[in-house]
Amino acid sequence: MPVTTLDDLKTIKEQALPKRAERLAHASAAQDSEIRPPTPKEKRVILARCGVIDPEDVYDYIAEDGYTALLKALTTMTPRQVIDEVLKSGLRGRGGAGFPAAKKWEFAAAQQSDVKYMICNADEGDPGAFMNRSVLENDPHAVLEGMIIAGYAFGAHQGYIYCRAEYPIAVKRIQLAIKQARELGLLGKNILGSTFSFDIEVRIGAGAFVCGEETALMASIEGKRGEPRPRPPFPAVAGLWGKPTIINNVETLANVGNIIRNGAEWFTQFGNEKNKGTKTFTLAGDVVRTGLIEVPLGITLGEVVYEVAGGIKDGKKFKAIQTGGPMGGCIPEHLLETPMDYENLGAIGSIMGSGGLVVMDEGTCMVDIARFFMDFTQDESCGKCVPCRIGTRRILEILTRICEGEGEEGDIERLESLSKYIVAGSLCGLGQGAPNPVLTTIKHFRHEYEAHIKDKKCPAKVCRKLITYRITDDCPGCMVCARNCPSKAISGEKQKVHWINPELCESCGICMSVCKFNTIVVD
Amino acid sequence: MRSRDLRSVPLAPALTPAEDDPVIIPEQRAKMDAIIAEHSKKPGSMMVILNEIQAEIGHISRPMQNYLAEKLRVPLKDVYGVVTFYSFFTMKPRGKHRIAFCLGTACYVGGAEMLIEKAEQILGVKLGETTPDKKFTLEPCRCLGACSQAPAVMVDSNLHGRNAPDKIITVLRKYEKIENR
């Protein structure tokens, strides 16, 4: 039965409630482990329904007042009023750049064109970030509702969701959600009995990080190599197949329904002056509680690390927190008072990005981490512009050399000047942000670079060529290390002290990770 | 040791199909035809078709690319360009099970490299290679978005989290019999 009025939604809601209550009573322990109960500092808005509703049942979403925002927008508001309401809320793009979402819609609405496109960017590729996957998997209808409202606001009739191929469950659930929404008349021709028509198609990526960049993403939907192009013209003017196109991130769109439903004032109660609302972050790395969190914007990094995440695990010491994925920066302890918002993170050389937070303890080598990120960007650079393609490779070579104990005097300065050129000369955010991890680690952990270069030592005992493993005399001879050593470098008899042959040992550290008696040490 | 080695595709492998190429085998060719017929009318159909072929047949060989280019009436370079750009598309057949090691930040810090080395030792092949019995292919992959369960490994489309070097063999044994080495 197609839905056309508020009464229809209410009827569905009433029918769904008993079934839902019954299901919730049974599903107490079977919750997604990534979504824990909130801690006091958190405020769940986007994640409010995640883990609570059945993502494969549209009636469950309607039981939580789902699609009432769409009905409100279509029946009581003009497209202009929708844009104004979202503008008033101050909602900024959650994909990383933080551009006001409705400002973009305003540009696209002003374009005269018979065809306009609405794209949902679900190509979440930042290592360490998984909030978009969680929202798509656990609350797909919220994203659809946001997309339809956005399409109504600037006059699009076709939407695309560009999702990563690495997220098969998210793809399956969003496709099911689209099917269910079509059956109820919430998608397709004359939505909710109005004159507005809008449909959505899912397009799947194929493992290219750069496709998260909006112009590269559009090229990929067009069926081409995902290479970015210069802007202007901005997508809002000439985007997909040359038509005005708006691209919003999953989380941005998931906010739209709530803003229309509850009003802009409700949204502005969270956050600080320039950064309104809440933001989801993903916690990973060496903290007690990893997983998905949602906090008001402007909360400090320290509050997240120590109060929300419960501090560093195994009683170790905090070393750095990495924000913003491979284009972000590593932030040391003395900057933990920094509020998490677009401006303040930018001021200390990092970025908000999509909200991935990786906490590193004292056992992490910052030069090695910089090398890791450069390896990533070097591999994912599409190769279109020279500074990014060749510059990142040169940086990677220098960093690899430093990690292998062959660093030279002047390497740090070389890295800094190369970084400057890459930032200045690259076309898209990937190249412009690529040197950030190098620059921030040099700025805050210069002594570690110097230790690698001058003393040929890795203070965190990570860089393989600079460390050796040794078995102490307390070894009970359980033989586990010898069995697990991939290079067969460990020998010794049962119940006797083992020893490592330094000529065969490749310092992979597997022995140390499997030893239950802590008798393997690093020098 | 990462995927860049996979990306460096040798220049222009033969266009003439080998005997076991999917364009020669009638059933495989019928599958390709069905996929092309279903999607070719869509705007920007190239990625959709390639994704489906990759999922259905397992790889996209040069003769297959040639066949596709003729069917879609586009230059071969457009197909080849797209296939080589995206890391999900492969030109060589994979093994029965694809083992993808997540190399995201949390997994890297959590010891993903140790897992790779252990798996390489167990299976006797390097990252990017397929075992001689065609059962497993070891591959690096981009963040799987399972950072809270680092280090993560995806076998086919099943996720295995919180791995350790000495446990990886248990994961592999879920899929095929492996002798102790």
Side-chain angles (χ1 to χ4, degrees):
Chain A
M1 174 202 72
V3 182
T4 48
T5 62
L6 190 60
D7 286 336
D8 292 343
L9 283 177
K10 277 193 180 139
T11 318
I12 291 178
K13 180 174 174 174
E14 272 154 27
Q15 284 167 355
L17 282 176
K19 209 174 114 197
R20 184 167 169 274
E22 192 188 340
R23 194 176 47 76
L24 279 181
H26 289 289
S28 51
Q31 280 210 1
D32 196 327
S33 67
E34 281 164 7
I35 304 168
R36 293 171 286 98
T39 48
K41 287 271 173 185
E42 285 185 63
K43 175 70 204 163
R44 298 274 169 98
V45 176
I46 297 157
L47 301 180
R49 283 180 298 262
C50 292
V52 177
I53 61 164
D54 177 358
E56 301 193 353
D57 188 356
V58 59
Y59 295 118
D60 238 20
Y61 180 65
I62 292 174
E64 294 274 337
D65 290 328
Y67 288 111
T68 50
L70 177 64
L71 190 73
K72 185 179 171 188
L74 289 183
T75 53
T76 66
M77 297 167 92
T78 63
R80 184 65 234 180
Q81 282 171 327
V82 173
I83 293 178
D84 285 340
E85 192 69 21
V86 179
L87 268 182
K88 217 162 72 187
S89 77
L91 174 67
R92 298 172 68 169
R94 296 293 195 244
F99 192 79
K103 260 262 156 347
K104 281 205 227 176
W105 301 356
E106 213 175 10
F107 293 144
Q111 299 298 318
Q112 295 294 328
S113 173
D114 50 338
V115 184
K116 292 178 191 176
Y117 295 107
M118 170 72 223
I119 299 176
C120 168
N121 184 349
D123 192 60
E124 171 185 66
D126 277 6
F130 53 88
M131 60 286 290
N132 291 352
R133 175 179 65 79
S134 299
V135 171
L136 289 170
E137 284 181 6
N138 295 303
D139 199 7
H141 285 284
V143 181
L144 295 190
E145 188 174 10
M147 269 185 92
I148 307 168
I149 294 172
Y152 173 68
F154 71 88
H157 295 287
Q158 177 66 41
Y160 288 100
I161 297 178
Y162 186 87
C163 189
R164 299 179 79 197
E166 283 91 339
Y167 293 172
I169 301 171
V171 171
K172 196 186 111 209
R173 290 199 178 150
I174 200 91
Q175 274 168 338
L176 184 69
I178 289 174
K179 188 171 156 261
Q180 290 171 341
R182 269 193 205 126
E183 281 164 8
L184 288 177
L186 300 163
L187 258 185
K189 284 221 157 63
N190 300 352
I191 294 173
L192 294 169
S194 70
T195 52
F196 176 64
S197 301
F198 187 78
D199 211 342
I200 297 176
E201 193 184 317
V202 178
R203 286 292 171 95
I204 302 165
F209 177 72
V210 71
C211 287
E213 200 278 343
E214 54 182 15
T215 58
L217 189 151
M218 292 187 304
S220 188
I221 292 183
E222 289 173 7
K224 299 179 196 148
R225 291 164 70 91
E227 286 172 349
R229 62 159 176 79
R231 290 170 298 182
F234 285 94
V237 178
L240 197 63
W241 289 296
K243 303 291 183 187
T245 304
I246 289 301
I247 300 170
N248 284 134
N249 167 269
V250 170
E251 195 184 330
T252 317
L253 291 168
N255 269 307
V256 171
N258 287 332
I259 292 171
I260 298 296
R261 203 168 3 248
N262 305 322
E265 273 85 38
W266 165 84
F267 189 75
T268 51
Q269 64 174 303
F270 312 112
N272 59 23
E273 195 194 332
K274 282 184 177 169
N275 299 267
K276 300 293 182 202
T278 57
K279 169 91 190 78
T280 57
F281 290 93
T282 52
L283 277 164
D286 307 316
V287 281
V288 175
R289 285 191 293 271
T290 57
L292 197 58
I293 61 163
E294 183 173 350
V295 291
L297 280 168
I299 184 172
T300 67
L301 287 162
E303 282 174 295
V304 169
V305 175
Y306 292 106
E307 291 174 46
V308 181
I312 307 298
K313 66 180 177 193
D314 303 332
K316 287 194 179 164
K317 248 185 84 195
F318 174 90
K319 186 160 193 175
I321 179 166
Q322 209 272 340
T323 72
M327 273 83 237
C330 296
I331 301 162
E333 191 162 21
H334 73 268
L335 290 174
L336 279 182
E337 288 303 302
T338 310
M340 297 213 291
D341 60 41
Y342 297 96
E343 282 78 20
N344 280 302
L345 286 178
I348 56 171
S350 188
I351 56 167
M352 177 95 108
S354 55
L357 302 173
V358 183
V359 182
M360 301 168 202
D361 67 14
E362 52 191 335
T364 315
C365 170
M366 300 316 284
V367 187
D368 182 58
I369 280 296
R371 192 198 57 76
F372 164 77
F373 282 119
M374 201 42 73
D375 193 31
F376 178 89
T377 33
Q378 153 63 203
D379 198 36
E380 290 297 344
S381 168
C382 78
K384 183 167 177 168
C385 40
V386 181
C388 176
R389 181 179 71 229
I390 298 175
T392 56
R393 162 124 318 179
R394 290 290 97 85
I395 289 193
L396 178 62
E397 283 166 2
I398 296 173
L399 287 173
T400 309
R401 227 179 48 223
I402 296 176
C403 288
E404 290 179 352
E406 286 161 22
E408 295 161 10
E409 200 72 24
D411 271 349
I412 298 178
E413 291 71 25
R414 222 168 278 141
L415 286 172
E416 283 172 334
S417 77
L418 256 172
S419 297
K420 208 170 72 192
Y421 295 127
I422 297 173
V423 173
S426 297
L427 187 60
C428 80
L430 193 142
Q432 288 158 6
N436 272 345
V438 181
L439 291 173
T440 51
T441 47
I442 291 180
K443 188 169 170 200
H444 301 302
F445 300 93
R446 200 183 178 100
H447 54 278
E448 285 201 26
Y449 280 84
E450 283 164 354
H452 280 75
I453 296 170
K454 289 185 188 138
D455 312 330
K456 311 288 177 207
K457 285 244 158 59
C458 176
K461 298 181 177 176
V462 171
C463 294
R464 287 182 173 201
K465 296 243 167 125
L466 305 177
I467 52 170
T468 48
Y469 285 85
R470 179 169 58 85
I471 301 179
T472 63
D473 294 341
D474 303 328
C475 171
C478 71
M479 300 186 75
V480 168
C481 58
R483 259 207 314 278
N484 278 292
C485 176
S487 36
K488 307 260 177 262
I490 304 178
S491 43
E493 285 169 45
K494 210 171 180 180
Q495 293 181 357
K496 289 204 177 131
V497 176
H498 283 47
W499 69 287
I500 301 176
N501 181 346
E503 287 186 358
L504 292 175
C505 179
E506 294 192 0
S507 301
C508 67
I510 290 181
C511 51
M512 196 158 139
S513 83
V514 297
C515 180
K516 293 189 175 59
F517 305 94
N518 295 324
T519 59
I520 300 179
V521 290
V522 198
D523 295 318
Chain B
M1 66 180 302
R2 298 262 301 280
S3 55
R4 91 173 65 83
D5 304 328
L6 296 180
R7 288 262 177 100
S8 52
V9 179
L11 276 178
L15 271 178
T16 345
E19 274 171 33
D20 60 344
D21 196 279
V23 292
I24 303 281
I25 303 165
E27 305 92 72
Q28 305 271 55
R29 192 164 167 152
K31 272 187 200 163
M32 279 182 75
D33 286 338
I35 292 168
I36 296 168
E38 191 189 338
H39 299 290
S40 62
K41 289 280 180 299
K42 274 185 195 167
S45 60
M46 178 77 76
M47 284 283 286
V48 185
I49 293 175
L50 289 175
N51 257 325
E52 294 257 326
I53 293 180
Q54 173 75 47
E56 198 60 44
I57 298 176
H59 72 293
I60 310 165
S61 69
R62 286 268 294 169
M64 289 164 79
Q65 294 167 29
N66 203 19
Y67 183 70
L68 187 60
E70 279 172 16
K71 279 267 177 180
L72 293 178
R73 297 179 166 278
V74 295
L76 176 59
K77 61 115 184 152
D78 283 4
V79 186
Y80 183 74
V82 172
V83 170
T84 49
F85 186 84
Y86 296 94
S87 61
F88 254 59
F89 303 138
T90 54
M91 310 223 300
K92 269 195 260 165
R94 284 193 175 113
K96 189 169 155 201
H97 304 287
R98 170 177 182 260
I99 308 165
F101 294 90
C102 178
L103 287 173
T105 321
C107 293
Y108 179 76
V109 174
E113 290 201 315
M114 289 199 273
L115 296 186
I116 296 173
E117 267 163 83
K118 193 67 202 166
E120 285 178 339
Q121 185 217 348
I122 294 169
L123 298 176
V125 287
K126 290 279 166 206
L127 197 64
E129 294 174 352
T130 303
T131 51
D133 57 8
K134 303 258 182 283
K135 281 184 179 157
F136 291 105
T137 301
L138 297 182
E139 279 180 16
C141 86
R142 286 293 160 241
C143 185
L144 292 170
C147 317
S148 59
Q149 306 170 52
V153 174
M154 178 112 91
V155 186
D156 303 332
S157 56
N158 308 319
L159 189 85
H160 299 272
R162 297 185 216 284
N163 288 293
D166 48 343
K167 296 205 183 85
I168 195 83
I169 191 154
T170 338
V171 172
L172 297 181
R173 280 206 177 120
K174 285 185 184 142
Y175 297 89
E176 293 287 338
K177 237 174 112 183
I178 297 170
E179 279 162 37
N180 245 337
R181 285 181 220 218

